[in-house]
Amino acid sequence: MRGAFIVIEGLDRSGKSTQTNLLHERIRASGRQVELFKFPDRTTTIGQMIDAYLRSQAELEDHAIHLLFSANRWELAPRIEQSLKDGKTVLCDRYAFSGASFTSSKGLPLPWCKSPDVGLPAPDLVLFLDITPEKAAERGGYGEERYEKREMQERVREVFKGFQDEGGPWVEVDAGRPLEEVTEVMWGKVGPLVKGVEGELKRLWVD
Ligand code: Z5A
Ligand code: MG
């Protein structure tokens, strides 16, 4: 048995970080081991470049910033794999699906956007927190960061929805509902996996 790799994806304000933190606490409280990752991880050298870009303190060419987001995942992939081997559940707040969705929404071809992430650890479960841009805006309006604009979020939502058709372990969750209801739906999917899963870890977007 190895740990399960669980990715939480979704639009801005859909509640990813709130729900991921709640899941983390709940798994810990049950006495199981769990590790939390978040992308972008702004603490690394690469992550600091991404942070400056998102806060519009640095300009980067579209392909270049995309590759940095991917490099940020690759630099942490060995830690993810080790945790899974050690039998820990890994929760991940955003992953490569965000990478491909956001950059392709700027107009770059989707196959190109996916290519640098090919071969990363593949999740055993993706919980996609779906929310309409209207509902998301009610949660405090869009912020100051790059991409936090209505048209961009609408395009990103469409690309995200396309991943559902790839036949992976993709579960859509209506994140427009009250917090506790969303938590319970998510726990219904996550709870059975925290004991660990059988089988080798798969690789992302490898046939
Ligand atoms: N990006 C990229 O381009 N390429 C990549 O490869 C990756 C990311 C990985 C920063 O991401 C940007 O990077 C992001 C994608 C791009 N751009 N955008 N948009 P980030 O993850 O660092 O930041 P963030 O995710 O923008 O969004 P967020 O604001 O952190 O959203 P969230 O985590 O989904 O939401 P939250 O913080 O949990 O909740 C937001 C608020 O809603 C908060 O006040 C909660 O209390 C409230 N909330 C949560 N759930 C509910 C419910 N159910 N009802 C009512 N209120 C709620
Ligand atoms: Mg967040």
Side-chain angles (χ1 to χ4, degrees):
M1 294 286 261
R2 60 172 174 83
F5 182 25
I6 300 166
V7 166
I8 293 86
E9 284 281 12
L11 296 178
D12 194 30
R13 304 275 189 285
S14 58
K16 297 175 300 300
S17 299
T18 306
Q19 296 292 351
T20 309
N21 292 334
L22 286 170
L23 287 173
H24 187 232
E25 267 317 300
R26 194 152 170 177
I27 298 172
R28 264 223 303 237
S30 77
R32 305 262 178 195
Q33 287 196 299
V34 55
E35 289 281 348
L36 180 54
F37 290 83
K38 171 169 175 30
F39 293 110
D41 181 330
R42 304 187 194 214
T43 65
T44 69
T45 304
I46 293 168
Q48 284 162 22
M49 294 167 76
I50 295 171
D51 181 57
Y53 173 81
L54 287 170
R55 292 190 293 110
S56 299
Q57 292 186 345
E59 289 306 317
L60 281 160
E61 196 275 334
D62 288 344
H63 299 78
I65 181 63
H66 183 73
L67 295 173
L68 287 178
F69 273 113
S70 177
N72 189 223
R73 285 183 280 280
W74 280 108
E75 66 179 336
L76 288 155
R79 276 182 44 202
I80 292 177
E81 288 197 39
Q82 190 57 52
S83 297
L84 295 170
K85 274 194 197 119
D86 293 342
K88 298 177 186 169
T89 300
V90 170
L91 296 174
C92 190
D93 183 354
R94 286 198 192 271
Y95 198 52
F97 308 96
S98 279
S101 297
F102 276 84
T103 306
S104 71
S105 295
K106 292 166 150 180
L108 273 62
L110 185 58
W112 185 86
C113 295
K114 289 165 78 175
S115 59
D117 288 315
V118 168
L120 276 172
D124 298 297
L125 173 67
V126 182
L127 292 166
F128 172 63
L129 303 195
D130 188 36
I131 190 165
T132 60
E134 295 79 28
K135 273 255 179 193
E138 282 170 19
R139 297 181 181 176
Y142 291 115
E144 298 292 308
E145 287 204 331
R146 212 184 280 260
Y147 304 150
E148 294 186 343
K149 300 183 181 67
R150 170 89 179 250
E151 317 75 65
M152 179 71 176
Q153 297 288 329
E154 275 167 3
R155 283 200 297 276
V156 168
R157 186 171 184 233
E158 287 314 305
V159 187
F160 264 134
K161 293 218 166 224
F163 287 121
Q164 192 155 18
D165 305 328
E166 285 187 349
W170 188 273
V171 174
E172 189 173 296
V173 176
D174 175 2
R177 287 183 288 172
L179 196 87
E180 299 73 21
E181 281 184 31
V182 180
T183 308
E184 285 316 306
V185 172
M186 293 175 76
W187 184 250
K189 302 290 175 189
V190 169
L193 298 181
V194 302
K195 299 186 292 293
V197 293
E198 308 263 10
E200 293 239 328
L201 182 65
K202 294 204 177 86
R203 299 283 142 195
L204 193 65
W205 295 324
V206 171
D207 295 324

